[in-house]
Amino acid sequence: PRPRLPYASDPTRPHSFYGLAWWLPCCATYRTEGLAARPVTIIPVKKKRWRRTRASPAIEGLRNSATYFRKARGRKAAYPVHAQPFMDGIQALMPTFGAFGSAIHAAAAKDVEGNVQKLRRNGAPLVPLHTLIRDEVALNNATHPDSTAQAFVWLKRILNFMSHFFDTLDRRPDLELNGCLTRAYEAHLGPYHNVVFRQLAVVLMQVIPDRAAMLELFGVSTFAELRPHLAAWTHETYPLIAKIDAFYVSNRLQP
């Protein structure tokens, strides 16, 4: 037979069979003399909340504008550009224009707001943009300065200008802001302006701040911190520009 342990049947010892097997009905004689209960400390667990860091108004303008442009172009290529998110995305860029100086901000506010008001005056967003433009094409009114077709295409050219400008800032770190703006202007806006307006634009581009002042207005210390925001905005803008160009070409209009 197995040797019996001397403490196995002693209910007064804490480590006896009866002390450990408290669930047996015959263990009602278990004694707790000499046992010290350890205090239980409950540590509250703090719920981690993820909050997006608050950025400068210029960066928030890029974020909001990109969100609106993604909604404006729709999910499929066959869908037309939605007027309301497109106009909201254009107007959301106004704080971003302020990062390039008061002169650029004033010129952009006048041009952008003026074309948005033309769209509203012609019926957008109650009437779809593609319907308004096709009606103007049928009436031979698409080339009028106050037409929806001209206002829409000028807003598209401003987006193309901004995208080119942001790409040049990234690819040419040796150029200051006026050099980057000049290249973008000559590619997308200059060919459609008259001589007087071109001379005025050249003067405005010479009074903008340098790169260091621009980074300060954007609320970042280096261009590496600003690059993801510019790339995210152009990533949402280029498909919208391509969709507008395809619509104008299909209707035999100059994009």
Side-chain angles (χ1 to χ4, degrees):
R2 294 182 180 179
R4 298 187 62 181
L5 298 178
Y7 59 84
S9 60
D10 187 0
T12 62
R13 303 188 63 171
H15 296 290
S16 66
F17 173 79
Y18 294 100
L20 294 178
W22 53 268
W23 45 272
L24 293 176
C26 60
C27 297
T29 58
Y30 176 68
R31 300 179 182 180
T32 58
E33 289 82 355
L35 296 180
R38 296 182 179 179
V40 179
T41 304
I42 300 177
I43 301 176
V45 179
K46 295 183 179 180
K47 186 178 180 181
K48 185 179 294 185
R49 297 181 179 179
W50 295 98
R51 297 179 180 178
R52 193 173 76 172
T53 57
R54 187 171 183 177
S56 64
I59 292 181
E60 284 294 330
L62 290 176
R63 290 176 177 173
N64 297 333
S65 177
T67 302
Y68 285 126
F69 288 156
R70 183 169 59 252
K71 296 178 181 179
R73 74 171 187 265
R75 296 183 179 181
K76 296 183 180 180
Y79 290 173
V81 176
H82 303 292
Q84 188 61 57
F86 177 79
M87 293 187 293
D88 292 340
I90 290 289
Q91 292 179 322
L93 278 177
M94 298 314 301
T96 306
F97 285 116
F100 308 114
S102 59
I104 296 296
H105 182 269
K110 182 179 180 180
D111 198 3
V112 170
E113 292 291 343
N115 285 304
V116 170
Q117 290 300 322
K118 289 179 183 179
L119 295 181
R120 295 187 185 278
R121 189 164 53 246
N122 293 338
L126 298 179
V127 183
L129 291 174
H130 67 286
T131 302
L132 293 172
I133 295 175
R134 285 171 179 169
D135 291 343
E136 293 173 350
V137 172
L139 297 174
N140 294 325
N141 197 29
T143 58
H144 192 276
D146 294 333
S147 64
T148 303
Q150 291 301 309
F152 192 37
V153 76
W154 272 109
L155 291 175
K156 187 270 303 183
R157 289 167 182 169
I158 293 175
L159 295 182
N160 225 344
F161 161 75
M162 294 293 295
S163 301
H164 191 159
F165 170 59
F166 290 159
D167 288 341
T168 308
L169 279 177
D170 190 15
R171 290 184 292 101
R172 295 293 303 273
D174 57 311
L175 293 178
E176 285 295 337
L177 294 189
N178 52 4
C180 299
L181 278 175
T182 301
R183 282 165 171 76
Y185 175 81
E186 292 176 351
H188 300 288
L189 296 180
Y192 309 101
H193 285 162
N194 54 36
V195 178
V196 177
F197 204 93
R198 286 174 62 91
Q199 294 177 351
L200 178 61
V202 171
V203 173
L204 289 177
M205 288 185 291
Q206 299 303 321
V207 296
I208 63 174
D210 55 3
R211 280 180 176 257
M214 180 199 68
L215 294 178
E216 183 178 356
L217 292 174
F218 269 104
V220 295
S221 56
T222 61
F223 188 78
E225 301 177 24
L226 180 60
R227 183 181 293 112
H229 301 287
L230 302 182
W233 186 82
T234 55
H235 176 75
E236 299 293 343
T237 307
Y238 277 135
L240 178 62
I241 294 174
K243 192 171 189 176
I244 298 174
D245 287 341
F247 173 75
Y248 270 73
V249 171
S250 64
N251 289 274
R252 298 180 180 180
L253 296 173
Q254 184 179 10

